[in-house]
Amino acid sequence: MAEKLNLNRVSMPKQEPQVRAHNFNEVAQGYTAEMAKEEASRCIQCKKRNCVTGCPVDVDIPEFIMAIRDGNMAEAVTIMKDKNILPGICGRVCPQESQCEQTCTLAKKAAPIAIGRLERYVADWERLQPAAAKPKPVIPPSTGKKVAVVGSGPTGLTAAADLAKMGHQVTMFEALHVAGGVLMYGIPEFRLPKEIVQAEVEYVQSLGVDLRLNSVIGKIDTVDELLKGGYDAVFLGTGAGLPMFLNCPGENLNGIYSANEFLTRTNLMKAYLFPKYDTPIKKSRRVAVIGGGNVAMDSARCALRLGAKEVYIVYRRSEAELPARREEVENAMEEGIVFKFLTNPKRFLGDDKGWVTKMECNEMELGKPDESGRRRPIVKKGSEFMIDVDTVVVALGTSPNPLVPSTTEGLATTKKGTVVADEKTGKTVKDKVWAGGDVLTGAATVISAMGAGKRAAAAIDAYLRG
Amino acid sequence: MYKIMYREKLTTNIHLFKIEAPAVARKAQAGQFIVIMPDEKGERIPLTIADWDHVEGTITVVFMEVGKTTNKLAMLKAGDSIFALVGPLGLPTHIEKYGTVVCVAGGFAIATIVPIARAMRQAGNKVISIMGFRTKSLVFWEERLRSVSDDLIITTDDGTYGRKGLVTEPLKELLEKDKNIKRVIAIGPTPMMKFSSKTTEPFGVKTIVSLNPIMVDGTGMCGCCRVEVGGQTKFTCVDGPDFDAHQVDWDLLIARQKSYLGEEKESLELWRHECQAAGEKR
């Protein structure tokens, strides 16, 4: 144990708000070797390992932190990747404050260990090593079993990697032209550089996973055809890709985007580099983003970086109920995003060419808690007012894409469109088919989707070994 | 992957590509489309599948040079490969034995209507086709459409070939004299589809159009292609592309198609300038 408990975590350098609001470079810059060692040495290596219980994928946190402290970086990588194949991604986008860092023993006294920052440091260290110096994964002899993984987002990547590490032959199908799912189309470059996502996808491929891009299961082969065609099991990790709209008048005016479209144009298609890249996005001045989650924060911060003069977050509840990570809310506020709480759009008005110009809103007040446990927003009568806008981004959440469920016989779905499956194993009611991630739960976090991929991989492995 | 096996210039600015895409060819049906991305920096655009050969593992698309993406595509040669191609997307055209079906196509949409006319005829319908062009030099696939139709009417705006005028005129005459026409399929530029729809509406003949809004992913993810049909918002990529013409909000579709006119022009001009500069260097 350290001689004296250090209660202050080492802070991580960030780009200044007024600078970063105008570029797409990463906001948080990561620890230096010295910072990482200093933070790692704060860990008291307690016997309880409370942090591990807070991790959805059971990373051996005290061990990898000890390896950093002792300067054994290759060992830190090996420990990390044994449980988490996407550390560069998780270190950046996991809500550690409500997981491992919340359960960290030090959290009771003062600042918990910055586990996420250390995780990121390990991943970034590895990525910069020459190929020969990187720890090599050990692949067991082939079991001769074939598994199809549908979707290459966080849950698909994790399931595919684990199944490959168990010796199964894995084919991963992706609808888009790059792998990564929401990590590529949704989360912006300034929070998760795409180069890092692709490096971690390449790692999964290096385990022997055969990646098939531009392949929409249900349109080419169906799940049943995959099973007939020689796959012994199928894992569905198709996510929650269908955007929800408000269903209020004027919502189809030009300049009104779903967050999925706004982020896909910006991130996946790199519209922020237009016309160097061919996909355009509207140059906006006044942007309203509807919603209060991480996707709303990402959309607002993208809008600012694309050159908007004023960007609003329009949220029907109050600041206390914002579902976004606190860190992202603070980042957005620092950058100058204006929050309009207790505000809900009622309709959109446009000009004679069909472009949105105004948004009529209601003021809201909070009533008794609803089924989600949050206080229900109620419209204040006669509170209508106008906001001038030229762009609106609707970030109200997503539901599962029905493409795969609707083309798969014998797969049960809920009213919300999620696939019915065993919570622990991801086993669906259909023989030989498992599912995990947002397609089961509705939109959730990267790490919970990874946890589901891991559990399903273990269940598939047990099934295949009979 | 996605190698161009064969290409043909059909008219001055309309091109045909036969592309290697076995997985798509195996499942393609009349009315479905692909999303294509010429290169890594390119845009994703939808193109209708004009034909397919599952033995050969190829699909055929026909496109007109309009913006940067189609201009880029037009420069590719046989043997070149396309960066990304996904499909078959959208719902296939509903094929049934109705009696008499009129297939109306404007401009390069002839390529879209041919497989539909063929499928309608195979289902036992009498198929009357109308193909309209601006002028004679733009006419293509006349024999192909004739071979899958019982009757074929050709119009040109300027009267240089076939009948002078728009496709809506013979369409109206057919509806007036033939009460057995139970369905009209009209595919082409949006104004042509809108006016075909207006033509058939008084006759109460169900008319199907294949809408062509701007798309990004083509799988229901972004909602860019949303249209209003019968007062309901629909995603063209997964709910369509075929819709009941009499229920479509045409003005909304036309406005949304113009979303990026300025950007498209800027992008194309810059690219032409770059091509010219590169050409001069060589």
Side-chain angles (χ1 to χ4, degrees):
Chain A
M1 195 192 280
E3 299 110 47
K4 195 175 160 230
L5 218 52
N6 180 354
L7 297 178
N8 298 313
R9 59 160 59 183
V10 177
S11 61
M12 178 164 58
K14 274 192 200 176
Q15 276 197 76
E16 289 301 321
Q18 59 275 29
V19 176
R20 71 183 192 235
H22 304 291
N23 70 54
F24 272 84
N25 300 332
E26 201 174 4
V27 169
Q29 318 245 282
Y31 279 160
T32 61
E34 293 69 32
M35 290 171 182
K37 273 197 172 182
E38 190 188 336
E39 184 61 21
S41 63
R42 284 179 63 226
C43 175
I44 59 173
Q45 295 289 323
C46 59
K47 293 227 163 52
K48 282 190 175 164
R49 298 163 61 81
N50 290 326
C51 50
V52 182
T53 62
C55 175
V57 296
D58 305 320
V59 170
D60 293 308
I61 295 168
E63 284 75 8
F64 95 75
I65 291 180
M66 196 197 292
I68 299 176
R69 187 195 68 192
D70 298 343
N72 298 328
M73 286 309 297
E75 194 192 325
V77 171
T78 306
I79 296 168
M80 175 72 70
K81 286 207 162 166
D82 181 41
K83 298 285 171 61
N84 183 353
I85 50 126
L86 310 173
I89 295 164
C90 291
R92 288 172 168 82
V93 303
C94 263
Q96 289 97 7
E97 66 280 3
S98 58
Q99 299 179 10
C100 53
E101 294 179 11
Q102 189 180 43
T103 53
C104 168
T105 305
L106 283 190
K108 288 175 200 145
K109 293 188 184 285
I113 302 296
I115 301 167
R117 295 173 187 175
L118 291 174
E119 177 181 30
R120 168 187 169 142
Y121 176 74
V122 170
D124 290 356
W125 177 87
E126 191 205 9
R127 211 177 47 257
L128 297 176
Q129 300 311 303
K134 290 185 193 185
K136 292 274 177 309
V138 187
I139 311 284
S142 171
T143 60
K145 301 286 185 188
K146 284 173 73 183
V147 185
V149 170
V150 185
S152 70
T155 198
L157 285 169
T158 308
D162 276 16
L163 287 162
K165 286 201 275 185
M166 291 160 179
H168 307 302
Q169 195 186 324
V170 182
T171 308
M172 183 164 60
F173 297 94
E174 166 57 47
L176 289 170
H177 56 274
V178 286
V182 72
L183 305 168
M184 289 303 289
Y185 74 75
I187 304 176
E189 180 76 19
F190 57 84
R191 232 162 40 84
L192 178 63
K194 301 308 146 216
E195 184 199 351
I196 288 164
V197 179
Q198 288 314 304
E200 299 201 334
V201 168
E202 278 164 29
Y203 174 77
V204 175
Q205 288 179 275
S206 77
L207 301 172
V209 171
D210 176 18
L211 171 64
R212 306 260 177 94
L213 299 173
N214 307 305
S215 301
V216 184
I217 296 304
K219 288 293 183 184
I220 47 168
D221 285 336
T222 61
V223 170
D224 292 287
E225 285 166 331
L226 290 174
L227 289 169
K228 263 183 242 147
Y231 288 98
D232 300 292
V234 175
F235 174 76
L236 304 177
T238 48
L242 214 64
M244 294 183 200
F245 283 93
L246 287 153
N247 297 317
C248 68
E251 202 166 21
N252 294 329
L253 285 165
N254 281 351
I256 304 183
Y257 295 89
S258 73
N260 265 6
E261 184 189 350
F262 192 74
L263 292 174
T264 297
R265 283 184 181 272
T266 310
N267 301 316
L268 179 73
M269 305 310 294
K270 299 200 188 306
Y272 66 93
L273 298 173
F274 178 87
K276 220 165 113 191
Y277 280 71
D278 296 348
T279 304
I281 196 154
K282 219 59 215 175
K283 286 187 185 73
S284 317
R285 292 185 59 82
R286 293 165 71 93
V287 182
V289 178
I290 320 291
N294 288 321
V295 173
M297 301 305 137
D298 284 346
S299 303
R301 297 172 71 195
C302 279
L304 199 66
R305 284 159 174 78
L306 287 164
K309 297 286 168 279
E310 274 177 84
V311 182
Y312 310 121
I313 290 274
V314 176
Y315 181 52
R316 61 189 186 141
R317 291 184 162 98
S318 72
E319 185 168 355
E321 287 84 20
L322 277 174
R325 285 181 77 186
R326 192 64 219 166
E327 187 185 331
E328 299 309 331
V329 174
E330 278 164 14
N331 278 330
M333 285 179 169
E334 277 177 15
E335 288 168 13
I337 308 284
V338 178
F339 284 70
K340 292 187 180 285
F341 294 114
L342 295 166
T343 304
N344 202 35
K346 192 178 168 190
R347 61 182 178 129
F348 301 97
L349 293 107
D351 63 16
D352 57 353
K353 293 212 169 81
W355 284 88
V356 67
T357 53
K358 281 179 197 308
M359 175 166 100
E360 188 177 31
C361 295
N362 272 118
E363 283 178 37
M364 309 294 278
E365 52 195 359
L366 294 179
K368 296 231 165 70
D370 60 14
E371 62 274 17
S372 75
R374 295 174 300 174
R375 293 177 64 192
R376 185 192 298 274
I378 303 164
V379 173
K380 266 197 210 172
K381 275 216 174 102
S383 64
E384 283 80 5
F385 68 100
M386 290 285 184
I387 301 178
D388 288 338
V389 289
D390 58 22
T391 301
V392 174
V393 181
V394 182
L396 293 173
T398 51
S399 58
N401 193 320
L403 234 163
V404 170
S406 68
T407 54
T408 308
E409 260 176 61
L411 203 64
T413 50
T414 65
K415 256 187 257 165
K416 286 182 178 167
T418 55
V419 169
V420 176
D422 182 283
E423 251 176 63
K424 285 207 183 80
T425 62
K427 180 69 182 59
T428 68
V429 298
K430 187 179 171 67
D431 203 26
K432 301 181 182 178
V433 179
W434 281 257
D438 288 0
V439 73
L440 283 195
T441 57
T445 60
V446 168
I447 190 73
S448 64
M450 289 177 60
K454 235 179 161 49
R455 290 191 300 276
I460 293 169
D461 180 60
Y463 163 78
L464 293 175
R465 289 176 196 277
Chain B
M1 237 344 217
Y2 318 123
K3 194 162 137 187
I4 300 168
M5 307 304 286
Y6 170 79
R7 66 151 297 161
E8 192 185 331
K9 193 170 176 176
L10 296 174
T11 71
T12 38
N13 64 350
I14 295 176
H15 307 268
L16 175 150
F17 280 2
K18 193 186 258 196
I19 309 168
E20 186 178 33
V24 183
R26 210 162 56 231
K27 286 298 179 78
Q29 293 180 66
Q32 289 188 300
F33 64 93
I34 57 165
V35 163
I36 199 167
M37 191 175 167
D39 55 58
E40 229 177 318
K41 292 183 178 177
E43 195 173 6
R44 293 171 65 100
I45 61 155
L47 292 178
T48 310
I49 305 172
D51 206 354
W52 55 93
D53 183 333
H54 61 90
V55 178
E56 210 179 65
T58 59
I59 57 163
T60 299
V61 291
V62 172
F63 62 92
M64 183 164 72
E65 289 175 55
V66 181
K68 182 175 175 185
T69 306
T70 43
N71 270 276
K72 265 185 177 178
L73 281 175
M75 286 183 72
L76 297 176
K77 299 175 189 71
D80 289 346
S81 282
I82 286 159
F83 174 68
L85 183 163
V86 60
L89 301 175
L91 302 174
T93 298
H94 183 78
I95 305 293
E96 201 185 303
K97 187 175 175 183
Y98 296 104
T100 302
V101 175
V102 179
C103 291
V104 193
F108 82 102
I110 305 305
T112 310
I113 214 93
V114 166
I116 296 172
R118 184 173 62 199
M120 283 293 186
R121 199 150 181 240
Q122 278 166 359
N125 292 291
K126 178 183 176 190
V127 174
I128 304 171
S129 296
I130 306 172
M131 57 196 281
F133 297 90
R134 269 192 292 121
T135 184
K136 188 184 177 186
S137 62
L138 301 176
V139 177
F140 71 95
W141 275 23
E142 179 185 343
E143 287 318 309
R144 269 216 205 200
L145 187 54
R146 193 184 303 281
S147 72
V148 294
S149 309
D150 293 277
D151 207 351
L152 176 70
I153 301 162
I154 302 170
T155 66
T156 50
D157 296 1
D158 60 3
T160 46
Y161 193 61
R163 197 174 146 168
K164 184 178 189 314
L166 302 172
V167 289
T168 46
E169 291 158 25
L171 175 61
K172 190 172 174 223
E173 289 165 16
L174 284 172
L175 289 163
E176 279 166 348
K177 68 176 186 221
D178 189 346
K179 297 297 165 218
N180 288 324
I181 296 172
K182 292 289 181 301
R183 183 152 291 218
V184 173
I185 316 279
I187 307 177
T190 307
M192 172 264 170
M193 291 196 283
K194 179 182 171 178
F195 288 107
S196 298
S197 172
K198 300 271 178 242
T199 304
T200 62
E201 207 166 0
F203 294 92
V205 176
K206 185 144 179 178
T207 300
I208 301 297
V209 283
S210 176
L211 301 185
N212 52 352
I214 302 171
M215 288 188 188
V216 185
D217 67 289
T219 61
M221 198 182 89
C222 78
C224 176
C225 66
R226 58 198 198 274
V227 289
E228 282 180 24
V229 183
Q232 304 262 315
T233 297
K234 299 279 180 195
F235 285 12
T236 304
C237 67
V238 288
D239 302 322
D242 287 4
F243 291 104
D244 180 347
H246 301 153
Q247 305 288 321
V248 171
D249 182 337
W250 293 102
D251 295 340
L252 178 78
L253 173 66
I254 290 167
R256 287 188 65 83
Q257 283 173 329
K258 290 180 183 160
S259 291
Y260 295 102
L261 273 190
E263 287 83 356
E264 282 161 11
K265 196 164 164 252
E266 179 193 348
S267 187
L268 181 61
E269 274 169 12
L270 187 74
W271 181 77
R272 282 199 171 130
H273 182 77
E274 282 168 7
C275 286
Q276 208 177 2
E280 277 164 14
K281 236 185 228 170
R282 257 183 246 127

